[in-house]
Amino acid sequence: MKSEKEKMISGDLYNPADTEVSKDRNKAHLLFHQYNQLPNVNSEEQQEILAELIPTMGNNCCIEPPFFCDYGYNIILGSDIFINYNCTILDCAQVHIGSRTMLGPGVQIYTVTHPVNARERASLLEFAKPIEIGEDVWLGGSVVVLPGVKIGNRAVVGAGSVVTKDIPDDVIAAGNPCRIIRRIDND
């Protein structure tokens, strides 16, 4: 029988109030609170906190405070990533962000979702779908990425967009809901 944490990570309905899940979430909240209170970006102390909060992180990643997440351990970062101010990643499922990707201020990434059926939703159970963001991607300010979305390599998503469906490689996309505007020639 799966634990609630195992259910969460595998995309099954789970209880977010479970003791183990709550303990993990509380630990992450303490860590990002400490991180957000420090005055110097990329200080040794901030890097130590980030390494504990997001253990799977490549080299040369910069996350401007304030930063918020649910667990941290479900965030997988490549190298040379820049995450601007006020980013929130609800990482109940894995969030992969490829190398050299930039997230503008206020970007919101949500893996968690709730049942559409009102009776199921009243149970207070939830589930999560993983999100994958490719390499060399730029998400403009205040972009929202919804559960289960994949954004291709070298894509650009315009500010304020709500990404509800997959975005392929080498495109500019924008809007609510986000739609492809044109292809990018990256040669």
Side-chain angles (χ1 to χ4, degrees), residues 124-140:
L124 302 180
L125 298 178
E126 58 190 35
F127 63 101
K129 297 178 181 179
I131 291 174
E132 187 175 327
I133 299 170
E135 294 186 341
D136 302 297
V137 172
W138 175 22
L139 301 183

Side-chain angles (χ1 to χ4, degrees), residues 100-118:
R100 299 168 308 281
T101 289
M102 300 183 299
L103 278 57
V107 167
Q108 313 288 305
I109 299 173
Y110 307 144
T111 65
V112 67
T113 189
H114 305 276
V116 174
N117 179 284

Side-chain angles (χ1 to χ4, degrees), residues 16-17 27 30 34 36 51 61 69 85 95 102 106 113 126 132 160:
K27 178 182 177 186
L30 287 172
Q34 290 172 354
N36 292 338
C61 292
C69 65
Y85 303 105
V95 175
M102 300 183 299
T113 189
E126 58 190 35
E132 187 175 327

